[in-house]
Amino acid sequence: MSLDAPHTDTYARGKTLSEQVNPGMEDALRDRYDALVPGLSRTIVDVAYGQFYARGGVDEKTRLLATVAALTALGGQTRPQLKVNIASARAVGASREEIAEIIFQMTLYGGFPAMINAMNAAMEVFDAEEAEA
């Protein structure tokens, strides 16, 4: 996706990408949060996916692996988002080994507890994949 696309296209770009990597995410966010904060779900799709994830410059897999790394280093409070982004990284072709190595590398930045928490989250995502297969 191109950086030179008009700003007004960011929601459409974000919607396409979010449905590719995390189908139904906007609906789930809308059901959970929009009564309290109207438009939150659309803002996440527009900003996070349309303005950031769909920027180009690096491929989706690289961008999602970077997100997994950042969430790992931030620690256990990011577990729900980490699991979503691990599943999204898998959806765009990241292997289990690539994800595990990225998480392990973050030991240097987030510490062993953060790495262990993230590795456990990844294993839950991998187990869920096997259960669905």
Side-chain angles (χ1 to χ4, degrees):
M1 305 207 178
S2 171
L3 285 175
D4 58 359
H7 181 73
T8 56
D9 292 338
T10 59
Y11 173 76
R13 290 187 304 163
K15 181 70 172 176
T16 299
L17 181 57
S18 70
E19 285 300 316
Q20 175 192 351
V21 300
N22 194 358
M25 179 200 72
E26 183 177 10
D27 293 336
L29 291 169
R30 182 182 307 110
D31 292 346
R32 177 93 173 138
Y33 302 110
D34 277 17
L36 185 61
V37 181
L40 177 70
S41 59
R42 185 180 176 94
T43 299
I44 290 172
V45 169
D46 182 9
V47 176
Y49 286 85
Q51 295 180 37
F52 283 84
Y53 281 110
R55 279 181 57 85
V58 297
D59 60 81
E60 293 164 7
K61 180 175 134 180
T62 300
R63 200 172 296 279
L64 283 161
L65 287 172
T67 302
V68 168
L71 291 169
T72 296
L74 285 169
Q77 75 273 12
T78 67
R79 184 182 188 88
Q81 295 81 16
L82 181 60
K83 288 175 68 175
V84 166
N85 282 280
I86 288 169
S88 295
R90 294 284 291 145
V92 297
S95 71
R96 292 176 178 200
E97 294 77 16
E98 288 172 315
I99 291 167
E101 285 295 330
I102 292 297
I103 290 171
F104 182 65
Q105 179 73 23
M106 292 304 102
T107 305
L108 296 171
Y109 305 98
F112 279 97
M115 180 272 294
I116 293 294
N117 288 334
M119 200 66 75
N120 286 329
M123 292 171 70
E124 289 174 20
V125 171
F126 302 157
D127 289 347
E129 287 177 350
E130 288 176 9
E132 289 177 14

